[in-house]
Amino acid sequence: MKFTVKRPHQGDRWYNVGDTREATETSVKHLVAKGVLVPVEAGGKTKAATKPANKGAPTVQNKAADA
């Protein structure tokens, strides 16, 4: 699996920010947990952030005006 490097570190060699590292998930899970590495999807992009629970709910423009 491929990972994007977010913080420089030494693995089998030195990795700088922005490098791509290929490793098994189990061997680098401690680096993923600490935010050093981020998994890359097959399309080459990093995983997207979680989406809001309810996108259809209207946003409140001014809470003071509702009272």
Side-chain angles (χ1 to χ4, degrees), residues 1 4-5 9 15 19-20 27-29 31 33 37-38 41-42 46-49 51 53 58 60 62 64 66:
M1 182 169 191
T4 302
V5 178
H9 68 281
Y15 291 95
D19 288 347
T20 301
S27 65
V28 294
K29 68 180 177 183
L31 296 172
L37 298 176
V38 176
E41 290 184 10
T46 56
K47 290 188 175 183
K51 295 185 179 181
V60 178
N62 187 353
D66 291 341

Side-chain angles (χ1 to χ4, degrees), residues 3 9-10 17 19 29 34 45 51 54 67:
F3 299 89
H9 68 281
Q10 184 178 9
V17 176
D19 288 347
K29 68 180 177 183
K34 293 184 181 207
K45 298 181 180 178
K51 295 185 179 181
N54 187 0

